[in-house]
Amino acid sequence: MSDTAKKPILFSGIQPSGHITLGNYIGALRNFTILESDYNCLFSIVDLHALTVRQDPAGLRRKTVELAALYIAAGLNPEESIIYCQSHVPQHAELAWILNCFTYMGELNRMTQFKDKAQKHKDNINAGLYTYPVLMAADILLYQTDLVPVGADQKQHLEITRDIAERVNAIHKGVFKVPEPYIPKQTAKIMSLTEPERKMSKSDPEDSFIALTDTPETISRKFRRAVTDSDGEIRYDPENKPGVSNLLSILSTLSGEDMDSLTARLSGQGYGKLKDETAQATIETLKPIQERFHQLMADKDYLAKVLTDNAERARYLANKTLRKVYKKLGLYQP
Ligand code: AQP
């Protein structure tokens, strides 16, 4: 058996539902690159999930290709890891149907993301938005995943995934691996720059987030305008000082300086200095990613080939689990 065959499996995904944000990067994408070499990884562009909110078709296609380029530009290796579009692997939707039959409405009623999104999209509270966690459970369980790196906002969805897997396993022994979440504490939730009590989201207004493709000028401007508070003290206290604490989290993560030394060094200085350093650290982190991103976007054939080849690798694995599920559940398989 080769080393690759022995590694545990990691699955995660990002929706191509807008500009990928610094929150998506720090909470998810960056961790993918850190973990990649220790796992057999699948990184999905979860385009079916994106349909739970109305999308402009041309925009969705463009954002899908951009996300593939960003995955690679951030450092993921499409020769090793499986970087693919969810909709290219029909087994996701097929398993989601099965899992719908093992998920209780009472459980779905408790999902806070559904409540938040239903609030945001009052004119389109569709059944897909409601059963989103079931499709996410299918994404993960389809690959017998060991580890799922996600931001804190997805914790509840990971818990329901584990509950569904355990419920199926209790009735039909050994169908699914029960996955573990990977949610590093300090960076798990990057907050909005304009409303620091809320998480940074790619579908919110532009000034509230840093997009990974923002120019240095835009990044500096957005951080300069970031909402802080009026007490003027640089201190890490997410509850009472969410804006300042958010900037400190971003700066500490991207610069590698630990929080204690960072707050000691900046203590007594103005918020302008904190904002400026955070902008600089972000610009420096994103510079090589942006350069690679623009190179990749100039070679759409390469990106199309990556997505086509990797979808085939994903379908092979997905089919193994789906056949097993169908057989265990008693669906006739001649
Ligand atoms: N603000 C955040 N801080 C840390 N992690 C975050 N993630 C998202 N926002 C933050 C993590 O990024 C991964 C991909 O997220 P997603 O695209 O599946 O959907 P989401 O969680 O709903 O992210 P957005 O940006 O808020 O998208 P929209 O606006 O389309 O709903 C996940 O691991 C997520 O935890």
PDB file of all heavy atoms in Angstrom, residues 277-295:
ATOM      1  N   GLU A 277      -1.477  48.137   9.781  1.00  0.00           N
ATOM      2  CA  GLU A 277      -0.719  46.876   9.820  1.00  0.00           C
ATOM      3  C   GLU A 277      -1.567  45.712   9.322  1.00  0.00           C
ATOM      4  O   GLU A 277      -1.069  44.808   8.650  1.00  0.00           O
ATOM      5  CB  GLU A 277      -0.243  46.588  11.257  1.00  0.00           C
ATOM      6  CG  GLU A 277       0.947  47.431  11.660  1.00  0.00           C
ATOM      7  CD  GLU A 277       1.751  46.811  12.814  1.00  0.00           C
ATOM      8  OE1 GLU A 277       1.664  45.586  13.029  1.00  0.00           O
ATOM      9  OE2 GLU A 277       2.453  47.578  13.492  1.00  0.00           O
ATOM     10  N   THR A 278      -2.843  45.739   9.657  1.00  0.00           N
ATOM     11  CA  THR A 278      -3.723  44.640   9.209  1.00  0.00           C
ATOM     12  C   THR A 278      -3.851  44.670   7.692  1.00  0.00           C
ATOM     13  O   THR A 278      -3.804  43.615   7.022  1.00  0.00           O
ATOM     14  CB  THR A 278      -5.110  44.757   9.873  1.00  0.00           C
ATOM     15  OG1 THR A 278      -4.930  44.912  11.279  1.00  0.00           O
ATOM     16  CG2 THR A 278      -5.958  43.525   9.622  1.00  0.00           C
ATOM     17  N   ALA A 279      -3.990  45.877   7.146  1.00  0.00           N
ATOM     18  CA  ALA A 279      -4.091  46.002   5.683  1.00  0.00           C
ATOM     19  C   ALA A 279      -2.803  45.505   5.029  1.00  0.00           C
ATOM     20  O   ALA A 279      -2.840  44.733   4.064  1.00  0.00           O
ATOM     21  CB  ALA A 279      -4.357  47.456   5.298  1.00  0.00           C
ATOM     22  N   GLN A 280      -1.647  45.906   5.571  1.00  0.00           N
ATOM     23  CA  GLN A 280      -0.367  45.502   4.976  1.00  0.00           C
ATOM     24  C   GLN A 280      -0.200  43.987   5.012  1.00  0.00           C
ATOM     25  O   GLN A 280       0.214  43.363   4.023  1.00  0.00           O
ATOM     26  CB  GLN A 280       0.815  46.168   5.720  1.00  0.00           C
ATOM     27  CG  GLN A 280       1.084  47.595   5.297  1.00  0.00           C
ATOM     28  CD  GLN A 280       1.058  47.791   3.775  1.00  0.00           C
ATOM     29  OE1 GLN A 280       1.630  47.014   3.028  1.00  0.00           O
ATOM     30  NE2 GLN A 280       0.342  48.797   3.310  1.00  0.00           N
ATOM     31  N   ALA A 281      -0.518  43.373   6.161  1.00  0.00           N
ATOM     32  CA  ALA A 281      -0.378  41.908   6.282  1.00  0.00           C
ATOM     33  C   ALA A 281      -1.292  41.214   5.279  1.00  0.00           C
ATOM     34  O   ALA A 281      -0.932  40.190   4.672  1.00  0.00           O
ATOM     35  CB  ALA A 281      -0.716  41.470   7.707  1.00  0.00           C
ATOM     36  N   THR A 282      -2.491  41.777   5.076  1.00  0.00           N
ATOM     37  CA  THR A 282      -3.437  41.174   4.129  1.00  0.00           C
ATOM     38  C   THR A 282      -2.927  41.312   2.697  1.00  0.00           C
ATOM     39  O   THR A 282      -2.940  40.340   1.921  1.00  0.00           O
ATOM     40  CB  THR A 282      -4.824  41.853   4.277  1.00  0.00           C
ATOM     41  OG1 THR A 282      -5.234  41.763   5.647  1.00  0.00           O
ATOM     42  CG2 THR A 282      -5.862  41.201   3.394  1.00  0.00           C
ATOM     43  N   ILE A 283      -2.442  42.511   2.384  1.00  0.00           N
ATOM     44  CA  ILE A 283      -1.927  42.754   1.024  1.00  0.00           C
ATOM     45  C   ILE A 283      -0.768  41.802   0.729  1.00  0.00           C
ATOM     46  O   ILE A 283      -0.711  41.177  -0.335  1.00  0.00           O
ATOM     47  CB  ILE A 283      -1.490  44.238   0.880  1.00  0.00           C
ATOM     48  CG1 ILE A 283      -2.727  45.143   0.906  1.00  0.00           C
ATOM     49  CG2 ILE A 283      -0.679  44.452  -0.396  1.00  0.00           C
ATOM     50  CD1 ILE A 283      -2.439  46.618   1.112  1.00  0.00           C
ATOM     51  N   GLU A 284       0.138  41.653   1.701  1.00  0.00           N
ATOM     52  CA  GLU A 284       1.301  40.774   1.476  1.00  0.00           C
ATOM     53  C   GLU A 284       0.891  39.312   1.343  1.00  0.00           C
ATOM     54  O   GLU A 284       1.425  38.581   0.519  1.00  0.00           O
ATOM     55  CB  GLU A 284       2.298  40.911   2.626  1.00  0.00           C
ATOM     56  CG  GLU A 284       3.268  42.054   2.375  1.00  0.00           C
ATOM     57  CD  GLU A 284       3.970  42.517   3.638  1.00  0.00           C
ATOM     58  OE1 GLU A 284       4.351  41.646   4.451  1.00  0.00           O
ATOM     59  OE2 GLU A 284       4.103  43.738   3.816  1.00  0.00           O
ATOM     60  N   THR A 285      -0.086  38.895   2.143  1.00  0.00           N
ATOM     61  CA  THR A 285      -0.546  37.498   2.048  1.00  0.00           C
ATOM     62  C   THR A 285      -1.198  37.247   0.694  1.00  0.00           C
ATOM     63  O   THR A 285      -1.010  36.187   0.082  1.00  0.00           O
ATOM     64  CB  THR A 285      -1.591  37.204   3.156  1.00  0.00           C
ATOM     65  OG1 THR A 285      -0.994  37.475   4.412  1.00  0.00           O
ATOM     66  CG2 THR A 285      -2.080  35.777   3.110  1.00  0.00           C
ATOM     67  N   LEU A 286      -1.971  38.222   0.241  1.00  0.00           N
ATOM     68  CA  LEU A 286      -2.756  37.991  -0.977  1.00  0.00           C
ATOM     69  C   LEU A 286      -1.963  38.199  -2.268  1.00  0.00           C
ATOM     70  O   LEU A 286      -2.359  37.687  -3.318  1.00  0.00           O
ATOM     71  CB  LEU A 286      -4.006  38.886  -0.985  1.00  0.00           C
ATOM     72  CG  LEU A 286      -5.014  38.601   0.141  1.00  0.00           C
ATOM     73  CD1 LEU A 286      -6.271  39.436  -0.058  1.00  0.00           C
ATOM     74  CD2 LEU A 286      -5.391  37.113   0.206  1.00  0.00           C
ATOM     75  N   LYS A 287      -0.832  38.921  -2.174  1.00  0.00           N
ATOM     76  CA  LYS A 287      -0.085  39.261  -3.397  1.00  0.00           C
ATOM     77  C   LYS A 287       0.267  38.012  -4.230  1.00  0.00           C
ATOM     78  O   LYS A 287      -0.109  37.937  -5.408  1.00  0.00           O
ATOM     79  CB  LYS A 287       1.169  40.056  -3.021  1.00  0.00           C
ATOM     80  CG  LYS A 287       1.884  40.663  -4.204  1.00  0.00           C
ATOM     81  CD  LYS A 287       2.906  41.696  -3.713  1.00  0.00           C
ATOM     82  CE  LYS A 287       3.618  42.307  -4.897  1.00  0.00           C
ATOM     83  NZ  LYS A 287       4.857  41.643  -5.235  1.00  0.00           N
ATOM     84  N   PRO A 288       0.957  37.030  -3.659  1.00  0.00           N
ATOM     85  CA  PRO A 288       1.315  35.859  -4.490  1.00  0.00           C
ATOM     86  C   PRO A 288       0.079  35.072  -4.945  1.00  0.00           C
ATOM     87  O   PRO A 288       0.058  34.508  -6.047  1.00  0.00           O
ATOM     88  CB  PRO A 288       2.187  35.005  -3.561  1.00  0.00           C
ATOM     89  CG  PRO A 288       1.956  35.516  -2.175  1.00  0.00           C
ATOM     90  CD  PRO A 288       1.497  36.930  -2.291  1.00  0.00           C
ATOM     91  N   ILE A 289      -0.953  35.061  -4.123  1.00  0.00           N
ATOM     92  CA  ILE A 289      -2.184  34.336  -4.497  1.00  0.00           C
ATOM     93  C   ILE A 289      -2.823  35.026  -5.701  1.00  0.00           C
ATOM     94  O   ILE A 289      -3.245  34.376  -6.667  1.00  0.00           O
ATOM     95  CB  ILE A 289      -3.166  34.278  -3.293  1.00  0.00           C
ATOM     96  CG1 ILE A 289      -2.535  33.498  -2.133  1.00  0.00           C
ATOM     97  CG2 ILE A 289      -4.509  33.678  -3.705  1.00  0.00           C
ATOM     98  CD1 ILE A 289      -3.363  33.456  -0.866  1.00  0.00           C
ATOM     99  N   GLN A 290      -2.852  36.350  -5.659  1.00  0.00           N
ATOM    100  CA  GLN A 290      -3.474  37.101  -6.766  1.00  0.00           C
ATOM    101  C   GLN A 290      -2.680  36.932  -8.061  1.00  0.00           C
ATOM    102  O   GLN A 290      -3.253  36.787  -9.141  1.00  0.00           O
ATOM    103  CB  GLN A 290      -3.595  38.576  -6.391  1.00  0.00           C
ATOM    104  CG  GLN A 290      -4.577  38.810  -5.264  1.00  0.00           C
ATOM    105  CD  GLN A 290      -4.752  40.279  -4.915  1.00  0.00           C
ATOM    106  OE1 GLN A 290      -4.010  41.132  -5.380  1.00  0.00           O
ATOM    107  NE2 GLN A 290      -5.734  40.570  -4.075  1.00  0.00           N
ATOM    108  N   GLU A 291      -1.344  36.955  -7.939  1.00  0.00           N
ATOM    109  CA  GLU A 291      -0.524  36.794  -9.155  1.00  0.00           C
ATOM    110  C   GLU A 291      -0.818  35.449  -9.816  1.00  0.00           C
ATOM    111  O   GLU A 291      -1.057  35.355 -11.018  1.00  0.00           O
ATOM    112  CB  GLU A 291       0.971  36.898  -8.806  1.00  0.00           C
ATOM    113  CG  GLU A 291       1.401  38.348  -8.620  1.00  0.00           C
ATOM    114  CD  GLU A 291       2.800  38.483  -8.011  1.00  0.00           C
ATOM    115  OE1 GLU A 291       3.501  37.452  -7.853  1.00  0.00           O
ATOM    116  OE2 GLU A 291       3.156  39.615  -7.674  1.00  0.00           O
ATOM    117  N   ARG A 292      -0.798  34.414  -9.006  1.00  0.00           N
ATOM    118  CA  ARG A 292      -1.057  33.055  -9.532  1.00  0.00           C
ATOM    119  C   ARG A 292      -2.490  32.958 -10.065  1.00  0.00           C
ATOM    120  O   ARG A 292      -2.746  32.335 -11.095  1.00  0.00           O
ATOM    121  CB  ARG A 292      -0.800  32.051  -8.394  1.00  0.00           C
ATOM    122  CG  ARG A 292      -0.942  30.620  -8.767  1.00  0.00           C
ATOM    123  CD  ARG A 292       0.346  30.036  -9.319  1.00  0.00           C
ATOM    124  NE  ARG A 292       0.159  28.646  -9.713  1.00  0.00           N
ATOM    125  CZ  ARG A 292      -0.006  28.248 -10.974  1.00  0.00           C
ATOM    126  NH1 ARG A 292       0.014  29.099 -11.953  1.00  0.00           N
ATOM    127  NH2 ARG A 292      -0.185  26.962 -11.262  1.00  0.00           N
ATOM    128  N   PHE A 293      -3.413  33.587  -9.352  1.00  0.00           N
ATOM    129  CA  PHE A 293      -4.822  33.568  -9.767  1.00  0.00           C
ATOM    130  C   PHE A 293      -4.969  34.145 -11.178  1.00  0.00           C
ATOM    131  O   PHE A 293      -5.624  33.555 -12.037  1.00  0.00           O
ATOM    132  CB  PHE A 293      -5.662  34.356  -8.759  1.00  0.00           C
ATOM    133  CG  PHE A 293      -7.085  34.593  -9.193  1.00  0.00           C
ATOM    134  CD1 PHE A 293      -8.031  33.584  -9.116  1.00  0.00           C
ATOM    135  CD2 PHE A 293      -7.475  35.838  -9.683  1.00  0.00           C
ATOM    136  CE1 PHE A 293      -9.347  33.802  -9.526  1.00  0.00           C
ATOM    137  CE2 PHE A 293      -8.787  36.062 -10.096  1.00  0.00           C
ATOM    138  CZ  PHE A 293      -9.721  35.044 -10.015  1.00  0.00           C
ATOM    139  N   HIS A 294      -4.339  35.298 -11.421  1.00  0.00           N
ATOM    140  CA  HIS A 294      -4.483  35.932 -12.741  1.00  0.00           C
ATOM    141  C   HIS A 294      -3.826  35.088 -13.834  1.00  0.00           C
ATOM    142  O   HIS A 294      -4.366  34.988 -14.933  1.00  0.00           O
ATOM    143  CB  HIS A 294      -3.945  37.366 -12.705  1.00  0.00           C
ATOM    144  CG  HIS A 294      -4.796  38.270 -11.844  1.00  0.00           C
ATOM    145  ND1 HIS A 294      -6.148  38.471 -12.084  1.00  0.00           N
ATOM    146  CD2 HIS A 294      -4.515  38.972 -10.723  1.00  0.00           C
ATOM    147  CE1 HIS A 294      -6.652  39.272 -11.156  1.00  0.00           C
ATOM    148  NE2 HIS A 294      -5.684  39.588 -10.315  1.00  0.00           N
ATOM    149  N   GLN A 295      -2.718  34.434 -13.502  1.00  0.00           N
ATOM    150  CA  GLN A 295      -2.095  33.524 -14.494  1.00  0.00           C
ATOM    151  C   GLN A 295      -3.057  32.384 -14.826  1.00  0.00           C
ATOM    152  O   GLN A 295      -3.280  32.042 -15.988  1.00  0.00           O
ATOM    153  CB  GLN A 295      -0.814  32.892 -13.944  1.00  0.00           C
ATOM    154  CG  GLN A 295       0.381  33.820 -13.859  1.00  0.00           C
ATOM    155  CD  GLN A 295       1.484  33.222 -12.961  1.00  0.00           C
ATOM    156  OE1 GLN A 295       1.324  32.139 -12.383  1.00  0.00           O
ATOM    157  NE2 GLN A 295       2.587  33.950 -12.833  1.00  0.00           N
TER     158      GLN A 295
END
